[in-house]
Amino acid sequence: MEPFKNFTGLLAPLDRANVDTDAIIPKQFLKSIARTGFGPYLFDELRYLDHGEPGMDCSHRPLNPEFVLNDPRYQNADILLARENFGCGSSREHAPWALADYGFRVILAPSFADIFFNNCFKNGLLPIVLAADVIDDLFGQAYGPEALRLRVDLPAQQLTLVSRGERIAFEVDPGHKDRLLKGLDDIGVTLSRADAIRAYEARRGVEAPWLFFSAS
Amino acid sequence: MGAKTLYDKLWDAHVVETDENGAALLYIDRQLVHEVTSPQAFEGLRLAGRRPWRTDSHLAVPDHNVPTRDLHEGITDPVSRIQVETLDQHCSDFGITLFRMADPRQGIVHVIGAEQGFTLPGATLVCGDSHTSTHGAFGALAFGIGTSEVEHVLATQTLIQRKSKTLLISVDGEVGPGITAKDIVLAIIGEIGTAGGTGSVIEFAGEAIRALSMEGRMTVCNMAIEAGARAGLIGVDEKTIAYLRGRPYAPSGELFERAADQWRTLVSDPGAHFDRVVRIDAACILPQVTWGTSPEMVAPVGARVPNPADQSDPVKAEGMRRALEYMGLEPGTAITEIRPDKIFIGSCTNSRIEDLRAAAAVVKGRKVAAGIQLALVVPGSGLVKAQAEAEGLDRIFVEAGFEWREPGCSMCLAMNADRLEPGERCASTSNRNFEGRQGQGGRTHLVSPAMAAAAAVTGHFIDVRQL
């Protein structure tokens, strides 16, 4: 995974609550056995007027003019502003794969669904929880004639509104932060603790031996 | 040590160690694997030259893409076929046990886990599927994970986790006659909302939960994720133990008795602290029908479709307006006036033998109504199907005009050929009524198997207790 770098980016507002992972990437695209190439199908049913299928060339598909990512102001957005319970539903990691592949690097919302939230960090995406009134304020500004640009500083845990210079602090789990900044391979890190895992297995195998063998 | 919750006990028993940031390395005893969320995980292992830490702790089965009829023709959709063949290949390469499509034990991953005794009390169990919460019905800590975590479990047998908050939902007293586990869990979600459990593990307790069969408990825990919870849990009792006795992957003989003694301790201690407690009066729960595009948009069958104008929260009101537009419903419409085009009885929520019995009891001696274009019954596994056929349930369904299909996820998420067309309305025993979930433009109403059967034979939603 690439280390997460500070950047200044464009914000796109998606003003609906409970955006589920079926909406982020519909089921027909889950048939892929690859990890890449989901970006053109991100929000497929909201973004296009026709029915999408895997492998389609999206450059000629009819766009839904009502959908925010089709608004000229928000082209090449890298920060998604969302409402509560973003990413609810299915555990599909295809959702963060699609968001990252499209070009998003940060998602701001008052709350996220748990599995989606964890999946983001595995893919270099930073989900940030902000207070509901801060989110409301950002929505208000995002709809102005000038799209909103934000500076994202992960080490300092700070967002800066480029136009007003206003700063917003945010929280992030120190483990998640460390792995994002270093672009660490989680599995490699865990395997460095193999002795502890083996010691646990030896202990647990005595307490609950039925968990350590399979069907007769 | 003070009084512990069931979650505390499961958590403490699985912490390998805690890192400098306070995150736990949690040992994972069991992993269920299916074709949709595993290919990239196996590929990741292969690219890094890694092998599974343990091969005996995983059980794989294709379910999402499998067709539910004409199995002898195989999977006709080439993309679906490649995904299932890829699972076969990966399991063969990495030494993982697989129930192939033709295996009589094949079925929906969350049906077969319990059926095989692969799910055990006191275990941690994960799967790249959000409805893994189902297995919490056995006093197991079970939760859905993404593909990167599937790979992490394959390679290390662990996950990096932080402890969740605890939410106790106590359903006190007895439910009325004809009220099922599905009605209980839909009523709970209606009460606490789809984000009501976010960041929490929910323990379901109370007389009404204790009174449920294991099948009913699985239905309740299955939908814990629809309340946003990390996992659902129900304490172990003699029903749990009786269900597991003699199952292929459960211990046997003296070891079973030893295990059972330990499993009996898997309940929350009296006086254990929960971060939040919600009490629901079981007697007030009525048959439920969802009217919108989120499981929290639910009402008793005797109610009317609500009016967004009555909602004070503007974001919620807008969500309701959008949902009603998508669903093609007007505020104030009686739920009983809503007429489905299709009926789906199946999914990891409601495709077990008890579900099929409940639906068949309603259908028996009746016919599918003229306005219903398709009524499907999709058993949760080959073994459920065989059991239902031994009891003659298949004949009841077929004589009434239902189609009796082969096991799989089917129209719950429409990755195979079973799906809704745009604008079609479905009475479905599945778990999600999201836009497009059962097919682009499809309109889903979530109900219990008995309520789906009642809608099938009358052509509209009706309180099954009136039939």
Side-chain angles (χ1 to χ4, degrees):
Chain A
M1 201 169 76
E2 290 290 307
F4 187 98
K5 296 256 173 39
N6 291 346
F7 70 100
T8 300
L10 177 71
L11 179 143
L14 181 62
D15 197 359
R16 53 199 286 175
N18 297 311
V19 172
D20 57 78
T21 53
D22 278 77
I24 296 172
I25 184 88
K27 84 275 286 169
Q28 61 269 35
F29 303 104
L30 273 52
K31 295 180 184 185
S32 167
I33 57 171
R35 227 178 240 267
T36 53
F38 295 102
Y41 311 110
L42 175 70
F43 296 118
D44 198 84
E45 289 181 8
L46 301 170
R47 192 166 150 198
Y48 302 101
L49 294 170
D50 63 345
H51 176 76
E53 283 294 331
M56 261 177 141
D57 175 5
C58 294
S59 60
H60 297 89
R61 294 177 61 194
L63 296 173
N64 175 5
E66 307 278 300
F67 187 59
V68 63
L69 296 187
N70 294 329
D71 186 320
R73 278 178 296 178
Y74 307 119
Q75 295 310 298
N76 303 314
D78 14 38
I79 302 169
L80 185 66
L81 178 65
R83 292 286 186 187
E84 65 167 18
N85 203 26
F86 187 83
C88 62
S90 153
S91 67
R92 59 189 70 168
E93 198 161 318
H94 311 68
W97 292 340
L99 286 159
D101 196 47
Y102 179 88
F104 285 115
R105 297 165 68 187
V106 170
I107 307 168
L108 310 176
S111 62
F112 292 90
D114 289 342
I115 303 175
F116 174 83
F117 188 75
N118 274 319
N119 283 342
C120 284
F121 290 102
K122 314 287 181 191
N123 295 285
L125 260 179
L126 173 62
I128 298 176
V129 177
L130 295 175
D133 58 331
V134 176
I135 294 285
D136 277 342
D137 182 48
L138 289 173
F139 268 105
Q141 295 186 57
Y143 288 122
E146 284 289 310
L148 200 55
R149 296 182 69 79
L150 264 67
R151 170 96 184 140
V152 179
D153 186 335
L154 177 57
Q157 298 182 206
Q158 190 168 270
L159 305 173
T160 309
L161 274 63
V162 171
S163 57
R164 304 200 301 203
E166 182 187 332
R167 290 175 180 175
I168 304 168
F170 64 86
E171 295 294 320
V172 58
D173 176 90
H176 282 149
K177 178 179 174 177
D178 190 46
R179 284 195 292 275
L180 271 184
L181 288 173
K182 293 178 181 156
L184 288 178
D185 164 19
D186 276 1
I187 294 175
V189 174
T190 299
L191 284 174
S192 71
R193 302 157 82 182
D195 288 348
I197 300 171
R198 285 197 196 92
Y200 171 89
E201 286 179 323
R203 188 168 79 237
R204 184 75 174 153
V206 176
E207 290 168 7
W210 49 87
L211 292 173
F212 290 85
F213 60 85
S214 49
S216 43
Chain B
M1 269 310 286
K4 283 183 169 187
T5 63
L6 171 55
Y7 177 56
D8 292 333
K9 294 179 185 182
L10 295 169
W11 178 267
D12 291 351
H14 288 90
V15 174
V16 171
E17 59 180 17
T18 304
D19 71 16
E20 67 280 7
N21 293 318
L25 190 62
L26 199 71
Y27 192 80
I28 302 302
D29 297 308
R30 296 280 186 265
Q31 176 161 243
L32 289 160
V33 177
H34 65 80
E35 78 278 20
V36 179
T37 56
S38 66
Q40 299 86 352
F42 283 116
E43 188 59 17
L45 283 190
R46 194 193 311 279
L47 289 173
R50 290 172 176 142
R51 302 292 303 172
W53 180 274
R54 270 174 70 185
T55 52
D56 65 340
S57 64
H58 312 278
L59 178 61
V61 68
D63 57 3
H64 286 59
N65 280 280
V66 301
T68 59
R69 61 177 168 191
D70 304 326
L71 286 189
H72 58 277
E73 289 176 11
I75 304 177
T76 49
D77 174 353
V79 192
S80 287
R81 191 174 64 239
I82 288 169
Q83 199 163 48
V84 171
E85 287 170 355
T86 302
L87 179 68
D88 288 4
Q89 189 61 49
H90 282 143
C91 288
S92 157
D93 292 350
F94 288 101
I96 305 291
T97 303
L98 168 73
F99 294 172
R100 286 172 196 274
M101 239 172 67
D103 192 311
R105 300 169 298 176
Q106 181 270 337
I108 305 172
V109 71
H110 305 306
V111 173
I112 70 159
E115 189 171 81
Q116 293 294 322
F118 183 78
T119 308
L120 292 177
T124 43
L125 183 150
V126 296
C127 175
D129 192 286
S130 58
H131 290 111
T132 309
S133 60
T134 308
H135 308 268
F138 289 83
L141 180 57
F143 51 92
I145 56 177
T147 299
S148 295
E149 291 187 317
V150 171
E151 184 181 343
H152 197 278
V153 172
L154 280 164
T156 72
Q157 210 61 43
T158 63
L159 285 173
I160 299 159
Q161 295 279 302
R162 279 187 185 275
K163 201 170 174 186
S164 300
K165 290 178 290 190
T166 50
L167 166 58
L168 177 70
I169 295 184
S170 185
V171 187
D172 300 326
E174 287 179 33
V175 292
I179 302 299
T180 67
K182 186 65 164 288
D183 301 308
I184 294 175
V185 72
L186 284 173
I188 290 171
I189 295 165
E191 175 81 21
I192 70 170
T194 47
T198 302
S200 300
V201 166
I202 299 178
E203 180 172 341
F204 298 98
E207 293 93 324
I209 300 293
R210 295 255 72 86
L212 292 173
S213 65
M214 291 314 296
E215 284 85 353
R217 294 176 189 185
M218 283 189 259
T219 300
V220 170
C221 287
N222 173 276
M223 291 194 71
I225 183 70
E226 306 321 326
R230 187 85 182 122
L233 281 176
I234 294 176
V236 172
D237 63 9
E238 293 307 316
K239 278 185 199 171
T240 323
I241 290 165
Y243 181 98
L244 290 167
R245 200 179 289 276
R247 304 258 166 197
Y249 282 75
S252 57
E254 199 185 323
L255 194 60
F256 184 88
E257 302 310 325
R258 206 182 128 197
D261 282 344
Q262 199 180 99
W263 296 341
R264 288 186 182 96
T265 67
L266 296 171
V267 293
S268 287
D269 295 332
H273 171 76
F274 289 85
D275 295 303
R276 187 179 161 210
V277 177
V278 172
R279 294 198 174 275
I280 289 176
D281 181 357
C284 296
I285 298 175
L286 299 168
Q288 304 283 308
V289 182
T290 65
W291 51 263
T293 53
S294 164
E296 70 186 14
M297 295 175 171
V298 65
V301 64
R304 290 178 181 274
V305 173
N307 193 336
D310 300 334
Q311 171 59 249
S312 54
D313 177 336
V315 175
K316 280 210 170 112
E318 180 53 31
M320 286 171 73
R321 263 189 291 277
R322 187 182 286 122
L324 291 181
E325 188 187 334
Y326 181 84
M327 293 297 288
L329 291 173
E330 291 297 324
T333 306
I335 301 273
T336 51
E337 286 171 20
I338 300 172
R339 308 184 78 86
D341 303 298
K342 290 182 174 172
I343 308 290
F344 173 59
I345 297 175
S347 86
C348 58
T349 313
N350 281 129
S351 63
R352 298 177 182 83
I353 189 67
E354 184 181 274
D355 300 315
L356 304 189
R357 286 178 189 144
V362 173
V363 167
K364 192 170 186 178
R366 296 189 170 100
K367 295 282 180 198
V368 170
I372 305 291
Q373 294 161 26
L374 177 69
L376 276 186
V377 186
V378 182
S381 72
L383 296 179
V384 169
K385 180 168 186 264
Q387 173 72 32
E389 288 172 353
E391 296 179 17
L393 305 184
D394 58 322
R395 290 194 301 279
I396 294 173
F397 286 119
V398 170
E399 282 165 16
F402 277 84
E403 293 191 17
W404 178 250
R405 296 287 188 88
E406 300 294 332
C409 298
S410 180
M411 206 191 275
C412 174
L413 86 166
M415 275 189 78
N416 70 353
D418 309 331
R419 65 188 64 173
L420 299 181
E421 297 302 321
E424 279 185 340
R425 191 179 295 288
C426 184
S428 178
T429 67
S430 55
N431 40 58
R432 291 193 173 129
N433 50 354
F434 299 161
E435 288 184 19
R437 171 77 179 185
Q438 294 192 291
Q440 190 169 11
R443 296 162 170 167
T444 304
H445 296 273
L446 303 175
V447 286
S448 73
M451 285 287 288
V457 297
T458 60
H460 57 87
F461 288 111
I462 183 173
D463 188 334
V464 63
R465 300 171 304 173
Q466 292 169 3
L467 277 183

